[in-house]
Amino acid sequence: MPTLIPQPTRIEAAGNKPKLIDEYIGRVNTKTSATSVAHMRSPQGWLEPGQTPEFDEFTVVLKGMLRVTYQKGELDVHAGQGVIAHAGEWVRYSTPNPDGAEYIAVCLPAFSMETVHRDS
């Protein structure tokens, strides 16, 4: 039988400004370690610490623009586009534009504080 997920769990976000993370599937809301699916909404000027995660992160931008900085440059991912950040690669996410960004992030395996390896 399929499992209904009646609502997400709001997760506290890392970064310099408040960002909304609603986890639908993952370690917190469904006790799922295989994958996580979260709806993110970040304001203009939001910047999180860099990270070198042990998971792949698949992101689809719904509104605005998400900047993904990596060791050799940066990508601006606009509404209607997606990006894959591969496990073991350093990345940093930010939303510099006035409208911020709204996006869906899927982590495989699921996001965890123990495997994200954020910069100090």
Side-chain angles (χ1 to χ4, degrees), residues 99-119:
D99 294 334
E102 180 176 353
Y103 52 101
I104 301 294
V106 176
C107 297
L108 189 66
F111 177 94
S112 81
M113 293 304 292
E114 294 74 32
T115 61
V116 70
H117 305 297
R118 289 201 173 112
D119 297 347

Side-chain angles (χ1 to χ4, degrees), residues 39-42 60-65 99-104:
H39 182 195
M40 317 280 209
R41 291 174 298 273
S42 56
V60 175
V61 177
L62 304 173
K63 294 179 185 175
M65 187 270 288
D99 294 334
E102 180 176 353
Y103 52 101
I104 301 294

